[in-house]
């Protein structure tokens, strides 16, 4: 498994409650204890106050948020690539492209942040600009680039100087150069003594001597006197003339605006849409730290590695993370009714009629003889207390209570006292918005063609229950409309007195409640 699967996301349901978060953490811990450590707990929503209290009390980290399991760029084998320095010459970039069989290079700064890109086509176009004799000055090209491009040697001058003015000119004879060479020009010559001296005397900024012709002492002295640099190259005049313009830096021709780039977290679907609407072939990829990481092409989109997931505390599509149909479900651990999720391959499915998923996870620890640490014990205990309302819920079984009491021993806490503190923190709605209070423990279900939401808040004090009811109650009709549901039913449960006040929204909701419970609204 470790070779074929990069990692497995252990995920609870949307609008996670304490069981959803704690079962994800504790089950991922169990799986890592039994095999390769590739299992990572995730959450697909904000945690509520009760869960925040639990995580802080037991020193557990909040699982990383995951909003979708659709394939992303990071699930593909795209082309990892180092960025190049913007001062690299076009010639060096061209050679790098040939060596690495690439036709696009990305320019980055010292922090590996993307600054632009250059393509083979850009370099070819630049090479065809044969009448732009001042391109080296316009591009502020360093003499070091010229030396490297011409495989030359600087006999006189500083390689780090920058060309800021002048044209590139081929010196053939003094007669042909008269009234042509201007001060600051770069002149390519051969071994003709009079041509060399004429160029220096005319104010050339640099003399490039081709064919590795010797530099006489007199020429060097004259050049030093006139402030003229001297570079020698083994190339003949034709080759040197063709190559010298390729010494300008890639930054001078790079595309640095309206760049189309993708984050490693961009979904493959979105990448396809963008690629289909542009003529570019290669696109920069930015890693999660915001730095350049490589390039991607349409060919990379054919070999998609789907994400691997384990679902805990749910088995219905309406409650699952976005894009589940694009992922590979390895396991489902749940205690709810069997819902609508389908798998593309056989999967371990453990579903038991108990009050909490963590009760099942606790059993699996025992079955596999894995030691339960105080932290894991505290998390699983908290989930069982939350889901069973401290054993008062009609879904609670003797198995739940037995597991909770044993976990309380392992965690080293007094069960009833700890439960009071946990519910007290979870029931406080001070400072919450109606939407935050509503989403604390809320799920959407489907029955035939009917879609409905069910939520529950559990409170240790009547004060907290009434405050929550006043906050969330008026929000129910708005939430039903936003979510396109037929009904919403919301329970405000008094844990101590084992009673619930039920609020509802949707045409005909009241009649359904009267029929189901034999009561009058």
């Amino acid at each position: 498994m470790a070779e074929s699967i990069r990692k497995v996301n252990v995920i609870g349901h949307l609008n996670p409650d304490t069981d959803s978060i704690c079962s994800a953490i504790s089950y991922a811990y169990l799986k890592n204890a039994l095999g390769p450590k590739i299992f990572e707990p995730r959450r697909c929503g904000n945690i509520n106050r009760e869960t925040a209290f639990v995580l802080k009390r037991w020193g557990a980290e909040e699982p990383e948020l995951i909003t979708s399991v659709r394939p992303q760029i990071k699930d593909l084998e795209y082309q990892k690539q180092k960025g190049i320095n913007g001062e690299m010459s076009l010639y060096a970039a061209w050679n790098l492209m040939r060596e690495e069989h690439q036709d696009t290079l990305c320019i980055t700064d010292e922090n590996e942040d993307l600054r632009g890109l250059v393509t083979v086509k850009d370099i070819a176009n630049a090479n065809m600009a044969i009448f732009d004799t001042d391109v080296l000055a316009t591009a502020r090209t360093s003499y070091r680039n010229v030396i490297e491009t011409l495989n030359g040697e600087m006999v006189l001058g500083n390689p780090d100087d920058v060309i800021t003015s002048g044209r590139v000119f081929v010196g053939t004879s003094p007669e042909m150069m008269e009234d042509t060479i201007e001060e600051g020009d770069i002149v390519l010559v051969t071994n003709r003594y009079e041509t060399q001296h004429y160029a220096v005397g005319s104010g050339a900024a640099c003399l490039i001597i081709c064919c590795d012709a010797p530099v006489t002492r007199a020429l060097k002295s004259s050049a030093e006197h006139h402030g003229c640099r001297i570079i020698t190259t083994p190339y003949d005049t034709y080759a040197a003339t063709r190559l010298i313009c390729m010494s300008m830096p890639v930054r001078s021709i790079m595309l640095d605006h309206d760049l189309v780039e993708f984050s490693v977290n961009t979904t493959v679907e979105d990448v396809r849409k963008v690629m289909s609407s542009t003529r570019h072939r290669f696109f920069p990829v930015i890693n999660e730290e915001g730095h350049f990481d490589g390039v991607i092409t349409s060919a990379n989109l054919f070999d998609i590695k789907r994400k691997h997931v384990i679902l805990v505390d749910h088995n219905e599509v309406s409650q699952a993370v976005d894009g589940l149909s694009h992922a590979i479900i390895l396991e489902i651990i749940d205690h709810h009714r069997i819902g609508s999720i389908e798998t593309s391959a056989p999967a371990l499915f453990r579903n038991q009629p108990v009050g909490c998923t963590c009760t099942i996870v606790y059993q699996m620890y025992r079955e596999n003889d894995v030691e339960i640490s105080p932290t894991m014990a505290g998390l699983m205990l908290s989930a069982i207390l939350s889901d069973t309302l401290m054993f008062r819920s009609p879904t609670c079984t003797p198995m739940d209570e037995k597991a909770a009491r044993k976990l309380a021993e392992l965690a080293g806490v007094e069960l009833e006292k700890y439960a009071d503190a946990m519910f007290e923190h979870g029931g406080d709605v001070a400072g919450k918005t109606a939407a935050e209070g509503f989403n604390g423990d809320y799920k959407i279900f489907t029955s035939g063609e009917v879609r409905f939401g069910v939520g529950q808040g559990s409170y240790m004090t009547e004060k907290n229950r009434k405050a929550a009811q006043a906050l969330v109650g008026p929000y129910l009709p708005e939430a039903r409309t936003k979510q396109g549901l037929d009904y919403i039913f919301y329970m405000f449960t008094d844990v101590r007195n084992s009673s619930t006040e039920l609020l509802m929204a949707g045409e005909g909701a009241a009649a359904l409640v009267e029929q189901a419970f034999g009561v009058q609204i």
Side-chain angles (χ1 to χ4, degrees):
M1 178 182 291
E3 294 180 0
S4 59
I5 300 178
R6 182 168 58 91
K7 71 175 179 181
V8 179
N9 298 289
V10 184
I11 314 173
H13 54 73
L14 295 170
N15 304 311
D17 58 7
T18 300
D19 186 26
S20 177
I21 296 295
C22 292
S23 58
I25 296 174
S26 56
Y27 193 59
Y29 184 93
L30 172 62
K31 296 293 290 185
N32 285 329
L34 295 173
K37 301 185 185 306
I38 58 174
F39 299 86
E40 299 179 5
R42 293 287 183 264
R43 61 182 174 88
C44 48
N46 295 324
I47 62 172
N48 59 39
R49 291 188 177 181
E50 177 186 280
T51 309
F53 166 80
V54 169
L55 296 179
K56 183 177 181 181
R57 169 64 179 80
W58 298 107
E61 291 186 8
E62 182 177 307
E64 186 178 322
L65 177 67
I66 186 168
T67 58
S68 176
V69 289
R70 297 176 186 274
Q72 299 166 292
I73 286 183
K74 60 186 174 185
D75 300 314
L76 304 173
E77 292 292 339
Y78 59 90
Q79 301 172 35
K80 297 284 186 176
Q81 187 185 96
K82 288 285 187 182
I84 63 171
N85 190 303
E87 297 303 322
M88 176 183 280
S89 70
L90 301 189
Y91 187 63
W94 174 274
N95 285 326
L96 182 61
M97 288 176 174
R98 289 198 303 171
E99 290 170 7
E100 300 191 358
H101 306 289
Q102 298 171 344
D103 69 2
T104 298
L105 295 176
C106 292
I107 294 88
T108 57
D109 60 19
E110 63 277 5
N111 297 317
E112 293 299 318
D113 292 331
L114 183 67
R115 288 292 172 260
L117 59 82
V118 62
T119 68
V120 167
K121 183 179 178 180
D122 297 326
I123 295 177
N125 287 337
N127 193 39
M128 291 299 293
I130 58 176
F131 297 110
D132 296 334
T133 57
D134 61 347
V135 289
L136 298 189
T138 302
R140 297 184 62 83
T141 307
S142 72
Y143 281 101
R144 186 175 298 282
N145 273 17
V146 175
I147 297 165
E148 292 174 355
T149 301
L150 298 180
N151 192 24
E153 178 184 351
M154 188 158 232
V155 177
L156 183 64
N158 183 355
D160 293 321
D161 286 348
V162 174
I163 302 168
T164 58
S165 63
R167 304 161 301 156
V168 176
F169 188 85
V170 178
T172 55
S173 67
E175 294 79 15
M176 294 297 296
M177 295 162 62
E178 189 176 358
D179 299 326
T180 304
I181 292 183
E182 299 176 356
E183 189 172 342
D185 284 348
I186 298 171
V187 184
L188 286 80
V189 298
T190 55
N191 61 348
R192 291 192 63 181
Y193 178 80
E194 65 275 15
T195 303
Q196 296 172 351
H197 278 271
Y198 189 88
V200 170
S202 298
C206 180
L207 196 65
I208 298 176
I209 303 176
C210 301
C211 303
D212 265 343
V215 179
T216 65
R217 187 176 301 176
L219 179 63
K220 187 173 181 181
S221 177
S222 177
E224 193 168 10
H225 174 74
H226 286 88
C228 178
R229 303 163 185 83
I230 298 178
I231 296 173
T232 61
T233 173
Y235 299 136
D236 60 31
T237 310
Y238 173 77
T241 305
R242 290 286 308 274
L243 284 173
I244 190 168
C245 290
M246 294 288 283
S247 63
M248 63 181 179
V250 291
R251 60 169 167 74
S252 63
I253 66 166
M254 70 180 183
L255 176 65
D256 60 358
H257 61 279
D258 298 328
L259 290 176
V260 180
E261 60 185 56
F262 298 116
S263 162
V264 290
N265 294 317
T266 306
T267 66
V268 173
E269 289 175 286
D270 290 340
V271 172
R272 280 202 178 102
K273 290 176 184 176
V274 173
M275 284 187 175
S276 66
S277 62
T278 178
R279 293 182 178 181
H280 294 302
R281 290 183 56 212
F282 291 81
F283 301 83
V285 175
I286 308 302
N287 64 23
E288 291 178 327
E289 287 72 46
H291 305 307
F292 173 70
D293 196 49
V295 293
I296 187 171
T297 71
S298 58
N300 298 129
L301 304 184
F302 290 104
D303 185 20
I304 300 175
K305 295 182 179 179
R306 292 194 289 168
K307 291 185 183 342
H308 294 79
V309 300
I310 291 177
L311 305 182
V312 294
D313 199 33
H314 70 298
N315 70 94
E316 300 209 31
V317 173
S318 61
Q319 300 168 17
V321 65
D322 173 64
L324 188 63
S325 61
H326 297 274
I328 297 176
I329 302 173
L330 298 178
E331 300 181 23
I332 301 175
I333 312 297
D334 192 23
H335 69 115
H336 295 99
R337 70 168 192 172
I338 297 176
S340 55
I341 284 179
E342 296 182 359
T343 64
S344 58
L348 186 152
F349 188 0
R350 182 157 177 169
N351 185 284
Q352 293 179 229
V354 292
C356 179
T357 301
C358 273
T359 299
I360 304 171
V361 176
Y362 167 75
Q363 292 176 355
M364 298 176 80
Y365 269 83
R366 290 304 192 200
E367 292 164 6
N368 289 280
D369 197 26
V370 173
E371 182 179 354
I372 301 176
S373 67
T375 295
M376 291 302 119
L379 294 176
M380 288 189 278
L381 167 65
S382 303
I384 296 172
L385 293 175
S386 177
D387 259 23
T388 66
L389 301 177
M390 204 167 70
F391 318 132
R392 292 174 171 84
S393 169
T395 61
C396 181
T397 68
M399 197 178 297
D400 295 298
E401 184 169 356
K402 182 179 179 181
R405 296 200 180 278
K406 181 58 181 178
L407 288 167
E409 290 180 24
L410 295 172
V413 295
E414 184 181 332
L415 188 148
E416 285 76 11
K417 184 176 180 181
Y418 173 72
D420 286 349
M422 185 184 76
F423 284 117
E424 186 64 29
H425 277 83
D428 183 12
V429 296
K432 282 187 178 181
T433 65
E436 289 171 339
F438 172 83
N439 286 316
D441 182 7
Y442 175 77
K443 298 174 184 175
I444 294 175
F445 298 89
T446 301
S447 179
E449 295 182 355
V450 177
R451 293 182 72 244
F452 60 97
V454 177
Q456 182 175 36
S458 304
Y459 310 93
M460 293 300 294
T461 66
E462 186 177 7
K463 175 185 175 183
N464 282 350
R465 180 182 60 77
K466 287 184 175 181
Q469 229 168 293
L471 177 69
V472 176
Y475 179 71
L476 297 186
E478 180 183 344
R480 186 188 72 83
T481 301
K482 283 182 177 180
Q483 297 175 357
L485 302 178
D486 295 288
Y487 313 107
I488 285 182
F489 304 98
Y490 215 98
M491 297 172 281
F492 297 86
T493 299
D494 183 330
V495 177
R496 290 189 182 280
N497 298 314
S498 301
S499 63
T500 289
E501 291 199 6
L502 179 67
L503 272 66
M504 65 221 71
E507 186 177 350
L512 287 173
V513 170
E514 289 181 340
Q515 181 180 355
F517 296 102
V519 296
Q520 188 171 13
I521 300 300

